[in-house]
Amino acid sequence: MPEPDQPPSCPDRHWSEEPSTPLPEPETGPSWTGPGSGSPPGWTEPAPAPPPPLPGWTRPFGTPVPKGDDRRQVRVPPPAPTAPRRVLITELMMVLLLAFAPGLLGLLVLASSGQQQPAAIDRLGPAIGASIFSTFLSWAPVMVLAYLLARGGEGRAAIGLGRFEARDAGAGFALAVMSWVLVFVLAIVFSRLGSNDVDFLPRALPLWFRILDAVVIAVTAGVTEEVVVRGYAQTRLEQLRAPTAVILLLPTSLWALLHLYQGVGPAVTILCLGLVYAAYFNATRRLWPLVVAHGLFDLTQLTLILLTRR
């Protein structure tokens, strides 16, 4: 027992004494990251994740893909029809009749007269009148379509003519080169079916008129035929829920029939080329590359005629 006047001795360190080793200082940071806050020292709240990019099908129809998004070709389906089914069928039949009836009637006249191709006009006055008349007949369906699309609120983007982009020019040039290779091969394959030597640009006409006529023919064919056959007709058939085979074959077959005056071989060749164009539009729903390709193909062909037939 210790003496009453001596303090008791304790082997353990008194609780009020300073520790020999100081405690580590807490790391700097927000107050809620200190000891006892439930978070480890040095841990900070992560920044919120950026929202994922919207998929292509959620964007408004015809809106270009912004930079930084996936630049792969995304097929945008046609817009919902703005008229009942019966109205769309009637409209489609009237537009196709307006576009193809003059050419088909011309073929019937040639067949009934025993001729294989239309007679070439080698005088300047009648040639100018014939060029103006044929150009008006070609652009008439397009003018009607422009009115129908504007009245229905669809706009030209509904048939694949959205904003023209640089990639459309590149794709059009590639399609034009592919068209020449394909036509060259098919012309050999179908050469036994026969063809007619059509004089598109008669040599008796002045050179300046033949050059101007070649440019007008190429631009008119590239725009009007692609707008009617691919852009409008395929879009309407898809809105009517027609089978894919009908969407690809029906407008393209009518388009190939108009070229029978060149012979069966060229008509079949054009049918095959048209099916390639139809499949491209059905897969991408972009019409500008086909307009560029068609115009370049025709312009190159007419330029070769001008250079080789003097």
Side-chain angles (χ1 to χ4, degrees), residues 37-58:
S37 64
S39 300
W43 186 86
T44 57
E45 180 90 17
L54 293 175
W57 58 268
T58 60

Side-chain angles (χ1 to χ4, degrees), residues 62 73 139 156-157 159-173 175-176 219 222-224 226-227 230-231 277 280-281 284-296:
Q73 194 76 274
W139 282 95
R156 57 186 175 90
I159 59 173
L161 289 175
R163 180 180 301 177
F164 186 84
E165 301 179 5
R167 58 174 178 167
D168 295 327
F173 181 79
L175 284 171
V219 173
V223 176
T224 61
E226 294 304 321
V227 167
R230 249 69 69 175
Y277 282 13
Y280 178 88
F281 180 73
T284 63
R285 296 260 333 140
R286 293 195 66 83
L287 194 62
W288 282 120
L290 296 177
V291 171
V292 173
H294 194 154
L296 286 177

